[in-house]
Amino acid sequence: MSTSRTSPGRIILRDVRVFDGVAERTLDNADVLLEGGRVIAVSTSPVARDQSDDVLEIQGRGRVLMPGLSDAHVHVMGNANGMNDFLQAATGRLYGNTIAEAGSMLQRGFTTVRDMGGDTAPIKALIDEGRFPGPRIFPSQAMISQTSGHADFSFVYDVPEEFGGRPSRMEDLHFTRVADGVPRVLTAVREQLRQGASQIKLTLGGGAASMYDPLSTLQYTTDEIRAAVEAASDYGTYVATHVYTPAGIARALDAGVRSIEHGHLADEETVRRIADADAWLSIQPFAEDDHHYPDPIRAAKNAEICQGTAQVYGWARDHGVNTAWGTDLLLEPQAAARQSVMAARLGEFYSNVEALRMLTSGNAALCEAAGERNTYRAAKLGVIAEGAWADVLLVEKDPLADLSVIADPETNFTLIIKGGEVVKNAL
């Protein structure tokens, strides 16, 4: 098996069954031509080969060719490092771990990720320059939080910066930014945009991982949220918010937020409101064992969140909500590979083709909502179509018949190509 990256001038994939990221059925007995990082042709007639070409021909032998997977809610830095790393490790080690995890995500078949908190713009730049392997990254940069909010990782005895204290190490590492009041929120949003954020992430309610806030808390006033939305809009992009409860989601939508991250404690009326606002619900198919909290208070919060998963998915389907899929694995590097297991778990709530659409073209549509902050806008993501990015997977077994095959990418993703580069070839 080869995992080295190669960039032939042209790649012809022959005799493949194409799931294009959208259609109900595969296009069978197809040839697909990739060149210059793009899909050039998808044809049921043989693609001609010029013997003078620098061309790699791959015989698919009836395997399924599908777009690369995407994850709409990752923390690449948070996946790669535990809390002790953030508190004690050398900064270089933190970034080294992050680069390594980006490479692992690509080997799991994730060619695009939307990062919802962490200093990943420098990692994105290195990947885009070809220095390291990894997915296309849509960074949010630091999660923006109020004091005592979900992304406030200072200790209880620390003096807030507003009163003369200094930022926590999480802020020094650009993983989070604590900002209170409209002027500081505006500054924090503009800081993330200056650093390369594609979209902005605010935390508007409690969470399982955070220290000070019950799930029921409302965080940030409507004026503060509107200020963030306006500053993001001025840059042509949008605000996504960590929030679980009906009251928090209502406040977010009233202020113009475009993407609700999580939402597991929503009621049906709130889910309907998300649909009416034409906003996104970026939800994760959480199970209790996805995260491990030795603290009983956090474990109880995690259990409550997980209990709402199936119900909210059902309402989202019923009301036609724009729904994205993500993982939100955080601070447990040993659990990072659960990303693939959680992708397959989407089949518990959707048909296989619906799940695969969400994992490809659906998530891509949310990523592309970043407008001009989308540095990959020269071509379409998440589809196999003429002119789209050449981000494709050749799958050993048919995921349309059995979604569980994507839970084992090492065995079942025979070929991984990103931007026309072969990053894995097990044929």
Side-chain angles (χ1 to χ4, degrees), residues 396-419:
E396 193 66 23
K397 299 176 184 177
D398 183 358
L400 289 138
D402 180 6
L403 192 65
S404 71
V405 303
I406 66 176
D408 185 3
E410 184 175 358
T411 300
N412 293 314
F413 293 165
T414 306
L415 181 75
I416 300 173
I417 296 174
K418 180 201 155 199

Side-chain angles (χ1 to χ4, degrees), residues 71-75 114 116 201 261-262 282 284 326-328:
D71 188 330
H73 193 120
V74 299
H75 298 276
R114 177 171 164 262
M116 288 284 100
K201 166 78 174 296
E261 307 297 313
H262 313 315
S282 174
Q284 303 73 41
T327 49
D328 193 35

Side-chain angles (χ1 to χ4, degrees), residues 3-22:
T3 57
S4 61
R5 293 176 290 161
T6 58
S7 301
R10 309 175 91 206
I11 300 174
I12 302 174
L13 296 142
R14 298 202 184 277
D15 185 23
V16 292
R17 298 171 55 212
V18 178
F19 169 65
D20 66 1
V22 179

